Amino acid sequence: MASSPEQTTHDDPPPGDGAPPRRRPGGRTGRVREQVLAAVQAELAERGYDALTVDGVAARAGVHRATVYRRWRDVGGLLADVFAAASDDDWQPADTGTVQGDLTALNEESQTALTAQPPLVSALIAASFRSDEAARGVRELWEDRYTRCEVIVTRGVERGEIPPGTDARRLLVAATAPVYHQLVLLGTPPDPDLPGQAARTAVLAASAGAFATG
Amino acid sequence: MASSPEQTTHDDPPPGDGAPPRRRPGGRTGRVREQVLAAVQAELAERGYDALTVDGVAARAGVHRATVYRRWRDVGGLLADVFAAASDDDWQPADTGTVQGDLTALNEESQTALTAQPPLVSALIAASFRSDEAARGVRELWEDRYTRCEVIVTRGVERGEIPPGTDARRLLVAATAPVYHQLVLLGTPPDPDLPGQAARTAVLAASAGAFATG
């Protein structure tokens, strides 16, 4: 696993030189991490997993390769840290006033990300089929995102739009799965109606009690 | 693309020996294709895409490597032909008497395939992120399977279970996407309730008019 930059504040001395690690201000460590993770994402999006190397990332980031090897060890460690950093934000789902509006906005965000050029999100998903560390990272990021989205369902129940006792996770998976299924697995071109249709389908099913718990 | 074995009935003479291709009975050509495609699937399921080579497939199949190179050219050609062969069957969705029963059976079949050991279906999906020919192949197989499943919706409309004018493809994607989403993308363990829940959700949404055309 990638070591956390908060715990690893030494930098740049080659391993084995006998000197104690020099302490650097946290700001520099944070900047190095930002540069390196940005380079991982750029390399992955532009060149794909097969071309991703620690040396290539270090060169693109302008960071000494020994630093990257020491802190992230290998491509798996770099990918794991990209996913960890992605969860370390203040993202929240849109609050549009209706469950269907919130789910549509969520699906539109996903569809935009999945069809962006260069294809960073698609490349990260593809990488999760190659690297166990990337697979763990992507699962933890999904878990984080679905947990943050539960508020969509809570608000909908409070407003009386959907029944109390609706299982939030099942509703969220039903609402979002078709977008990923079509774009990632079926490889169909993006359909501007799909985000809204999948959201409306999930709300209709929820109203009919499809996600009742217990 | 892989040449069709129906069109390529010559076998084994090394290319460039000046002799016209010897004609062999179709039975032998068919057997060679079966052996080679079974070897592709076994290699992929047991060792993964990275270990898949034309030489390894030829050795496992007990077929001369020149034959495999000539007929399938490379790993992409082999994978494309695995998908083509998979469509060349008489698979039909179960006819259980209800839409919900048919969709549940379909999802259970998918969940079983996605969790089988060795993980052939998962390996084929993973390969579709690596090879353009595998990606095309998997898309054509999805298209074939969804087309064959449209009869589930037709029967349901005839029985009065779901409204006339229900868009079959949208209903089928809504019913099946959660199983693939959970198992392939989210990496959650198989849930014995999921196939039936996803089927019931789609039927409830269809009854509420979620997939109305026009």
Side-chain angles (χ1 to χ4, degrees):
Chain A
M1 288 298 291
S3 48
S4 156
E6 283 68 48
Q7 298 170 308
T8 312
T9 53
H10 56 274
D11 207 280
D12 266 341
D17 68 354
R22 278 171 289 165
R23 296 269 155 192
R24 298 280 177 101
R28 177 173 156 77
T29 301
R31 273 200 310 281
V32 167
R33 187 186 184 213
E34 272 177 29
Q35 287 164 354
V36 167
L37 298 188
V40 175
Q41 295 178 57
E43 289 278 291
L44 195 62
E46 291 171 18
R47 308 180 64 219
Y49 180 91
D50 282 313
L52 194 65
T53 64
V54 173
D55 287 1
V57 166
R60 185 166 194 140
V63 170
H64 197 290
R65 55 196 291 275
T67 304
V68 180
Y69 279 106
R70 192 167 53 245
R71 195 180 294 172
W72 287 277
R73 204 186 71 228
D74 56 19
V75 162
L78 285 166
L79 287 169
D81 205 29
V82 166
F83 286 110
S87 290
D88 188 23
D89 65 4
D90 58 0
W91 183 88
Q92 293 296 332
D95 184 359
T96 67
T98 66
V99 175
Q100 190 173 321
D102 292 359
L103 295 173
T104 300
L106 182 63
N107 279 343
E108 281 172 348
E109 203 174 320
S110 300
Q111 180 148 293
T112 299
L114 287 168
T115 54
Q117 288 301 331
L120 176 61
V121 173
S122 306
L124 286 168
I125 291 174
S128 75
F129 288 92
R130 310 289 300 279
S131 149
D132 288 342
E133 281 174 301
R136 268 195 299 279
V138 80
R139 282 171 207 172
E140 286 167 14
L141 183 55
W142 281 113
E143 182 63 31
D144 173 72
R145 290 308 196 231
Y146 276 118
T147 301
R148 294 193 203 192
C149 286
E150 287 174 4
V151 69
I152 295 173
V153 180
T154 310
R155 290 191 299 241
V157 171
E158 284 168 3
R159 285 189 299 251
E161 288 182 80
I162 48 177
T166 295
D167 185 311
R169 184 64 56 97
R170 280 173 51 209
L171 189 160
L172 292 167
V173 168
T176 55
V179 173
Y180 288 90
H181 196 61
Q182 297 265 27
L183 292 174
V184 179
L185 293 186
L186 308 194
T188 47
D191 171 357
D193 294 334
L194 179 61
Q197 284 176 346
R200 178 166 169 268
T201 297
V203 173
L204 285 171
S207 300
F211 311 112
T213 50
Chain B
M1 287 299 290
S3 48
S4 157
E6 283 67 47
Q7 298 171 305
T8 313
T9 53
H10 56 273
D11 207 278
D12 265 340
D17 67 353
R22 279 170 288 166
R23 294 269 153 193
R24 299 280 177 97
R28 177 174 156 77
T29 301
R31 274 200 310 281
V32 167
R33 187 187 185 210
E34 272 178 28
Q35 286 164 353
V36 168
L37 297 189
V40 175
Q41 295 179 57
E43 289 278 291
L44 195 62
E46 291 170 20
R47 308 179 65 219
Y49 180 91
D50 283 312
L52 194 64
T53 63
V54 172
D55 286 359
V57 166
R60 185 167 196 140
V63 170
H64 198 291
R65 55 196 290 276
T67 304
V68 181
Y69 279 106
R70 193 170 49 245
R71 195 179 295 171
W72 287 278
R73 205 185 70 225
D74 56 19
V75 162
L78 286 166
L79 287 169
D81 205 29
V82 166
F83 286 109
S87 290
D88 187 22
D89 65 4
D90 57 1
W91 183 88
Q92 294 295 333
D95 184 0
T96 67
T98 66
V99 175
Q100 190 172 325
D102 292 358
L103 295 173
T104 300
L106 182 64
N107 279 343
E108 281 171 349
E109 203 175 319
S110 299
Q111 181 149 290
T112 300
L114 287 168
T115 54
Q117 287 301 328
L120 176 61
V121 174
S122 306
L124 286 168
I125 291 175
S128 75
F129 287 92
R130 309 288 300 282
S131 149
D132 289 341
E133 281 173 303
R136 267 194 300 278
V138 80
R139 281 170 207 172
E140 287 166 12
L141 183 55
W142 282 112
E143 182 64 31
D144 173 71
R145 290 309 196 230
Y146 276 118
T147 301
R148 294 194 203 192
C149 286
E150 287 175 3
V151 68
I152 295 173
V153 180
T154 310
R155 291 192 298 242
V157 171
E158 283 168 4
R159 284 189 299 254
E161 288 182 79
I162 48 177
T166 295
D167 185 310
R169 185 63 58 98
R170 281 173 51 208
L171 188 161
L172 292 167
V173 167
T176 56
V179 173
Y180 288 90
H181 196 61
Q182 297 265 27
L183 293 174
V184 179
L185 293 186
L186 308 193
T188 48
D191 171 358
D193 295 334
L194 178 60
Q197 283 177 347
R200 179 167 170 270
T201 297
V203 173
L204 285 171
S207 300
F211 310 112
T213 49

